[in-house]
Amino acid sequence: IPILRTLANSLTSDKVTRILGVLNGTSKFMMTKMVDEGWSYEDALKTAQELGYAESDPTNDVEGYDAAYKAVILSQFGFGATIDFDDVSHKGITNISTDDVAVAQELGYVIKLVGDVREVESGISAEVSPTFLPKNHPLASVNDVMNAVFVESIGIGESMYYGPGAGQRPTATSVLADIIRIARRLSDGNVGKPFNEFRRDLPLANPADVKSNYYFALDTPDEKGKILHLSEIFNSEDISFEQVLQQKANGTTARIVVITHAMSKTQLKAVTEKLEAAEDFTVVNTLKVLSN
Ligand code: HSE
């Protein structure tokens, strides 16, 4: 995707506030095949490797490392920030179940591995995680091996850059463009200028400032008072529910799905610890939700 030169040139006069990206072709391809066509994880990975999408160690793709490296680069080009790979919290697609996918569908979302770099009051935050995207969000329709970067900025507003995220010809085209650029600089005699000249001091954001909605899938014994207990736990951390769904309980176990209103990373950590300590709840999954 021609995003880096776009950020360095066309958006140089703008102030970027958030970059959301579907940044990994392999996991995109795999999720599309698994969700839309019912392929197994193993078959989807094998085909992604055969098509030349996956890195030689596919862990980088499916565990979110590749997308996290790209989030580091986007934070430099979009925000002038110098952050380390270790500053990007990353989670891959390996823990997404068909139940998560089905509930997302029922509630009007699709799940994609999304890189999210944003500037909040206290600094910059960068993370990669499987995310519930509202079906009407432009990133929700990015499928197969396509990738996209959605930029929110003060000047332009919203813009999206879209193209194949992996594969022989797209990769070769990008690499060759870099080589041509280097050759031009050699012939112009201006070698040594950095590709990206945007640099500023931007600390890492305080987790209390980084807010998102979240999806929780929880299992609990099918007994009275569980929803009340769940409400007490969330209420004790000042977290408000946006949607609550209890799937048909089977007399033994009930699956409860909660989508919260916006809450901070600090609240997320605290409520997760309380849920894990509570004997009557098992946290099956927690995923970020992009609000409408
Ligand atoms: N393995 C990468 C991907 C391709 O699947 O997106 C290079 O970025």
Side-chain angles (χ1 to χ4, degrees), residues 14-15 17-18 150-159:
D14 205 341
K15 176 162 171 58
T17 51
R18 189 172 194 178
F150 184 81
V151 180
E152 295 175 8
S153 60
I154 305 286
I156 294 181
E158 294 178 346
S159 52

Side-chain angles (χ1 to χ4, degrees), residues 45-268:
L45 178 57
K46 189 163 167 282
T47 308
Q49 288 174 308
E50 283 166 3
L51 289 170
Y53 297 160
E55 298 298 312
S56 50
D57 177 357
T59 316
N60 276 357
D61 295 300
V62 297
E63 295 289 359
Y65 301 140
D66 174 77
Y69 291 128
K70 291 168 182 164
V72 168
I73 298 169
L74 288 171
S75 66
Q76 290 170 348
F77 279 72
F79 299 86
T82 308
I83 60 168
D84 290 331
F85 174 77
D86 292 336
D87 298 325
V88 185
S89 67
H90 53 269
K91 209 162 137 181
I93 59 168
T94 46
N95 67 341
I96 303 296
S97 68
T98 48
D99 286 346
D100 298 319
V101 172
V103 172
Q105 173 81 15
E106 192 177 335
L107 298 178
Y109 296 90
V110 292
I111 306 177
K112 296 194 191 294
L113 186 70
V114 175
D116 181 1
V117 187
R118 55 184 149 155
E119 186 174 343
V120 294
E121 208 175 316
S122 55
I124 188 160
S125 141
E127 66 183 329
V128 172
S129 58
T131 301
F132 272 46
L133 290 170
K135 278 186 185 156
N136 61 0
H137 192 283
L139 286 176
S141 51
V142 178
N143 281 321
D144 296 308
V145 75
M146 302 308 273
N147 281 185
V149 180
F150 184 81
V151 180
E152 295 175 8
S153 60
I154 305 286
I156 294 181
E158 294 178 346
S159 52
M160 188 161 95
Y161 310 88
Y162 176 80
Q168 292 178 1
R169 283 172 188 266
T171 306
T173 307
S174 297
V175 172
L176 193 56
D178 288 343
I179 293 170
I180 292 170
R181 174 81 170 192
I182 293 166
R184 282 199 185 135
R185 287 214 156 160
L186 284 169
S187 73
D188 292 350
N190 64 0
V191 179
K193 285 184 71 180
F195 181 173
N196 170 39
E197 294 177 272
F198 185 19
R199 290 258 184 284
R200 68 194 170 117
D201 282 335
L202 195 57
L204 289 174
N206 179 342
D209 273 352
V210 183
K211 295 188 178 152
S212 304
N213 303 37
Y214 285 93
Y215 153 92
F216 288 80
L218 303 143
D219 278 348
T220 188
D222 186 10
E223 293 162 9
K224 69 182 172 66
K226 297 306 169 195
I227 298 254
L228 174 63
H229 188 201
L230 190 70
S231 307
E232 284 167 351
I233 293 176
F234 278 82
N235 190 47
S236 69
E237 291 303 331
D238 252 341
I239 300 164
S240 170
F241 295 153
E242 187 188 274
Q243 292 185 74
V244 181
L245 174 77
Q246 182 179 307
Q247 291 168 327
K248 189 164 165 44
N250 61 13
T252 316
T253 309
R255 168 68 56 89
I256 301 173
V257 167
V258 168
I259 294 192
T260 70
H261 279 294
M263 63 195 237
S264 70
K265 293 252 177 196
T266 318
Q267 287 170 296
L268 174 66

Side-chain angles (χ1 to χ4, degrees), residues 268-283:
L268 174 66
K269 185 166 180 285
V271 81
T272 304
E273 282 169 7
K274 283 189 180 169
L275 289 167
E276 280 170 355
E279 283 179 7
D280 45 355
F281 293 108
T282 305
V283 181

